[in-house]
Amino acid sequence: MDTNTQNLSQKSDEVAGHAQEKKDEMMSKASDATQITKDKASDTTQTAKDKASSTAQSAQQSAHETKDQAGNILQKTGEQVKSMAQGATDAMKSTLGINTDTTS
């Protein structure tokens, strides 16, 4: 083999070696970028799940509080209606002269 052929063969081997190194480097970078993207997607998904869970829990608590408030309002309204009915009954008895109050 002459010197030019040896030099060309050697340069060809060097170029192939550099190409392989660049290929490996690019594959490594692509793999790293893919992993980073997967990690970010996983974090985003987890954050969304946490927020959804928190929102659902808050809505449930709010609904429970509203239910309690409605119950209290209904109880107070019932007591007021009962008191008004008793007052009307007493007024009617007094008007008709059949008041059963024996303390007078």
Side-chain angles (χ1 to χ4, degrees), residues 86 89-91 93-94 97-104:
Q86 185 64 47
T89 301
D90 291 344
K93 285 180 180 179
S94 179
I98 54 173
N99 194 352
T100 57
D101 188 8
T102 56
T103 58
S104 300

Side-chain angles (χ1 to χ4, degrees), residues 9-87:
S9 178
Q10 190 176 18
K11 287 191 182 214
S12 175
D13 290 344
E14 287 177 20
V15 169
H18 287 299
Q20 183 64 41
E21 286 178 21
K22 287 292 184 181
K23 176 187 161 200
D24 292 345
E25 182 181 330
M26 295 304 280
M27 292 298 287
S28 177
K29 285 181 180 180
S31 178
D32 291 348
T34 300
Q35 188 60 45
I36 289 170
T37 301
K38 283 181 181 179
D39 291 346
K40 285 183 180 180
S42 178
D43 289 348
T44 300
T45 301
Q46 187 60 45
T47 300
K49 284 181 182 178
D50 292 346
K51 285 183 180 180
S53 176
S54 176
T55 300
Q57 187 176 9
S58 177
Q60 185 178 17
Q61 183 177 0
S62 178
H64 184 69
E65 290 172 1
T66 301
K67 178 184 167 191
D68 289 346
Q69 290 173 352
N72 289 340
I73 289 171
L74 289 174
Q75 183 178 5
K76 286 179 184 178
T77 302
E79 290 171 2
Q80 288 175 342
V81 168
K82 180 181 173 184
S83 177
M84 289 170 52
Q86 185 64 47

